[in-house]
Amino acid sequence: MTEPEWYEDATIYSLDVKTFDDADGDGWGDFRGAMDRLPYLDDLGVDAVWIRPFYPSPLRDNGYDVADYYAVDDRLGTLEDFREFAERAHERGIYVLTDLVFNHTSDEHEWFRRAREDPESEYHDYYCWTSHLEDAHHRGNIFPEYEDGVWSYDDVAGKHYFHQFYGHQPDLNVANPAVREELYDVLRFWLDQGADGFRIDAAHPMLMPKGHNATTLEDTELDEPIDLFKRMREVVEAEQSDAVLLAEADDEPANLDYYFGDGEAFHLQFNFVMNAHLTYAVGVRDAWPLYRAHEILPDVHGVGGWVNFLRNHDEWNLLKLPEEAFEHAREYFGDDRGDSWIFERGHRLRLADLYDGDPDRIALAHGLLFSLPGSVALQSGDEIGMGADLSLPEREAVRTPMQWDDSENGGFSTADQADCYNPVVDEGTYAYDRVNVAAQRDDPDSLLSRVRELSRARDGCPEIARGDFRIVDAEPKEMWAHRFDHEGDVLLCAQNFAAEPRDAVFGFDVDPEAAERVVGGGSYRVADGGVTVMLDAHEYVWLRGEKR
């Protein structure tokens, strides 16, 4: 078999520049600070960084309200700083993915300002308008707790404009070919600055009906909607052959293979199905959700790959769970006051909050994550067990500064806390003086050390990227196992979700004398074509052997 492309089994680290590290002491993280932390990411075994929006923005939606696609917010640095960051990352073999928000802009973007001021301007048709609201297309908003619908009135234009997200984020009219050309130019620009690929935010809403007449890309000169993303891939690969497009496409499971465009559109997709089921399974100590996730995910072999993750910078979206599990998860994982539930679909909690701060269970979830085929995405701070701050509004609860040590502001910044973009968590179980990188870096039993060990173990297991994957049925129900077969070797990964020790017997057709532990604890005994695995509470083990 040929070597996989770099992105097919990468470990991707997600960070927000403004909350990662502040080099100049103004309370805002910056690219200079991020550069200083590249050795940390290198040591963690990171193959790529996914940088969340850093463009000029009024920051009414954490930077996903972009006011200029061609610049760096001056609070975070300069374009030259970005280029240097990318160069230094590349020197360490780390790829750089940036976030691009093409479904909508900020209402402060120059395009929208010109669109509202002059109905004869070419920019007017960069957005979707109606003068007859009662006859226009209507549907639910993506933020139903905060928006009544998808139309807002603009006093300057004297019309309503269409928005699937917040009212200050007017949707771009991607049915307009001039808009699509603008987007392709943005891709080219950032590749030229040193980016190696892009997470395309809200890929699913980009293809949804928009505007007065519910226009879609099917109503354009494109043959079908997916051609938008096929053209984006052509653009990035023409500029850089190994550049990658990663979709945030939180669509129904049966539709997900569409975004790969038969291998001609997105290279990768975030696996929201696995995210909901895996994180839930470890939380309720039962393996059934993992069986269901594999049943409902489409087979995308040969056309694209999944990026698996446990948590991200948004709410933990539960919509992919069956109804009974959805309702159970809403109550089971929620905080006592109900403050964590948001957007009628998930919890604004970090992984540590979901697992009651138990480092063994957090490590178990990471052990399973790193052992799955595909790529891995880590949320900054989850590798040390950071928690949420529910006193902050909306999803800002899970976007607090990185906790580097026990100095003021957790080592994130020397500024007064009041001047920081978000305050560091300084009270309770997850306070920075209790949970930080410095305290865990050299402790072999810490969560950070275990995540680092898993990352390195994955790098040493070509079976995960190139082997044939299959689930190994397990009893009791708290046990889960899967295996990879590759060039005469077998890699078996077993997990115990239970809060007590469990034993299980799995088929393991390897030479008993050649069987070895790759990572994890517990004990095992190989004999007669099988292996008996004995795992303590929330323990995992990977075993490798040569096939008989």
Side-chain angles (χ1 to χ4, degrees):
M1 296 177 67
T2 60
E3 288 291 315
E5 299 287 352
W6 72 265
Y7 52 81
E8 292 178 4
D9 64 341
T11 297
I12 304 168
Y13 190 90
S14 169
L15 66 89
D16 185 345
V17 173
K18 57 185 175 292
T19 55
F20 197 55
D21 189 86
D22 171 21
D24 61 10
D26 65 354
W28 290 64
D30 43 51
F31 275 106
R32 288 286 161 189
M35 284 182 228
D36 292 341
R37 299 299 182 177
L38 283 171
Y40 169 77
L41 299 181
D42 199 1
D43 185 57
L44 192 58
V46 168
D47 299 303
V49 289
W50 153 34
I51 309 173
R52 300 201 288 276
F54 51 82
Y55 318 102
S57 167
L59 294 178
R60 298 176 69 185
D61 185 22
N62 199 247
Y64 286 88
D65 46 335
V66 177
D68 182 353
Y69 288 114
Y70 293 98
V72 173
D73 190 307
D74 58 14
R75 292 165 290 194
L76 311 183
T78 65
L79 201 53
E80 183 178 305
D81 290 335
F82 173 84
R83 288 194 293 264
E84 185 176 349
F85 173 83
E87 183 178 347
R88 290 196 189 180
H90 293 157
E91 289 171 355
R92 292 180 175 274
I94 297 174
Y95 292 86
V96 177
L97 308 181
T98 70
D99 225 323
L100 284 176
V101 189
F102 283 162
N103 178 72
H104 51 265
T105 70
S106 165
D107 59 7
E108 296 184 19
H109 196 289
E110 180 188 3
W111 296 345
F112 190 72
R113 289 203 302 267
R114 296 176 70 171
R116 67 201 298 232
E117 291 168 357
D118 182 3
E120 302 302 319
S121 164
E122 63 175 313
Y123 294 101
H124 194 71
D125 289 334
Y126 275 35
Y127 300 90
C128 304
W129 305 88
T130 188
S131 298
H132 305 284
L133 190 61
E134 65 280 0
D135 298 325
H137 166 67
H138 290 270
R139 68 167 179 272
N141 191 280
I142 289 170
F143 297 140
E145 293 177 31
Y146 300 93
E147 298 290 342
D148 294 332
V150 291
W151 292 102
S152 288
Y153 186 74
D154 181 69
D155 290 330
V156 176
K159 298 179 182 179
H160 287 81
Y161 61 89
F162 184 85
H163 58 91
Q164 297 181 77
F165 290 80
Y166 292 110
H168 57 80
Q169 294 169 314
D171 269 37
L172 282 167
N173 177 18
V174 292
N176 181 343
V179 170
R180 298 199 298 275
E181 289 300 325
E182 293 273 16
L183 305 186
Y184 305 149
D185 284 345
V186 172
L187 295 171
R188 295 184 183 101
F189 176 83
W190 286 106
L191 288 170
D192 189 53
Q193 304 307 308
D196 301 294
F198 308 97
R199 172 195 182 264
I200 303 298
D201 182 70
H204 177 211
M206 286 181 72
L207 303 188
M208 295 287 284
K210 294 191 179 193
H212 181 92
N213 294 318
T215 302
T216 71
L217 291 167
E218 294 173 332
D219 305 310
T220 72
E221 73 279 8
L222 299 179
D223 291 334
E224 57 177 325
I226 196 64
D227 286 349
L228 168 64
F229 300 130
K230 288 183 179 181
R231 176 58 181 149
M232 285 187 182
R233 179 162 175 165
E234 291 173 0
V235 167
V236 300
E237 290 186 341
E239 298 291 318
Q240 183 174 320
S241 61
D242 64 349
V244 63
L245 291 179
L246 167 58
E248 188 216 16
D250 194 6
D251 203 345
E252 291 303 310
N255 301 333
L256 294 175
D257 56 346
Y258 180 75
Y259 295 87
F260 291 117
D262 295 323
E264 297 179 353
F266 283 103
H267 302 81
L268 299 169
Q269 279 189 64
F270 282 109
N271 195 344
F272 286 93
V273 172
M274 185 59 69
N275 164 237
H277 288 77
L278 190 164
T279 304
Y280 180 73
V282 175
V284 299
R285 300 183 173 94
D286 195 324
W288 75 259
L290 291 172
Y291 288 98
R292 182 178 189 269
H294 283 94
E295 288 171 0
I296 65 177
L297 277 169
D299 180 6
V300 299
H301 180 74
V303 297
W306 301 116
V307 177
N308 297 304
F309 62 103
L310 301 171
R311 280 294 288 113
N312 64 16
H313 61 291
D314 292 332
E315 75 283 354
W316 177 38
N317 190 327
L318 303 172
L319 290 176
K320 298 300 179 288
L321 294 175
E323 183 176 357
E324 184 176 347
F326 174 90
E327 294 299 334
H328 176 254
R330 176 173 184 166
E331 298 300 324
Y332 184 80
F333 292 97
D335 68 305
D336 293 340
R337 295 185 300 176
D339 288 345
S340 67
W341 189 249
I342 190 171
F343 301 146
E344 301 176 8
R345 59 177 177 256
H347 290 293
R348 56 193 193 106
L349 295 170
R350 274 189 173 265
L351 193 67
D353 303 294
L354 299 176
Y355 297 155
D356 299 322
D358 182 354
D360 291 335
R361 200 146 42 134
I362 300 169
L364 168 67
H366 280 90
L368 182 52
L369 175 71
F370 276 101
S371 70
L372 290 175
S375 291
V376 169
L378 301 176
Q379 160 75 341
S380 171
D382 277 0
E383 76 273 21
I384 59 171
M386 283 176 54
D389 181 354
L390 291 177
S391 70
L392 296 176
E394 299 182 35
R395 297 183 291 193
E396 295 302 303
V398 298
R399 298 166 174 173
T400 55
M402 184 66 176
Q403 297 169 194
W404 295 105
D405 55 43
D406 62 1
S407 65
E408 188 175 4
N409 294 319
F412 159 70
S413 175
T414 57
D416 292 339
Q417 187 180 87
D419 293 328
C420 292
Y421 170 76
N422 270 337
V424 69
V425 175
D426 60 1
E427 295 181 350
T429 303
Y430 308 108
Y432 67 82
D433 59 345
R434 299 182 178 185
V435 177
N436 61 71
V437 170
Q440 298 186 30
R441 181 184 288 116
D442 299 324
D443 178 358
D445 298 321
S446 71
L447 177 60
L448 174 59
S449 292
R450 283 185 275 181
V451 172
R452 183 172 56 211
E453 183 182 37
L454 284 163
S455 176
R456 292 172 178 174
R458 179 185 173 91
D459 286 343
C461 291
E463 299 91 342
I464 297 176
R466 298 187 283 276
D468 294 324
F469 167 87
R470 63 184 172 93
I471 298 168
V472 180
D473 289 332
E475 292 290 345
K477 66 185 182 67
E478 302 96 339
M479 294 285 283
W480 167 269
H482 59 269
R483 65 181 277 172
F484 300 89
D485 291 78
H486 175 64
E487 296 184 349
D489 288 333
V490 178
L491 178 67
L492 177 74
C493 305
Q495 291 83 20
N496 174 23
F497 295 173
E500 304 83 23
R502 291 285 188 271
D503 299 351
V505 178
F506 305 109
F508 195 48
D509 45 341
V510 305
D511 179 358
E513 299 299 321
E516 63 174 350
R517 183 194 312 270
V518 177
V519 70
S523 57
Y524 63 92
R525 183 175 64 255
V526 181
D528 301 324
V531 59
T532 302
V533 175
M534 294 148 279
L535 297 176
D536 284 340
H538 307 139
E539 201 165 43
Y540 54 88
V541 67
W542 302 1
L543 303 175
R544 175 193 278 139
E546 184 177 343
K547 206 170 191 177
R548 294 182 106 173

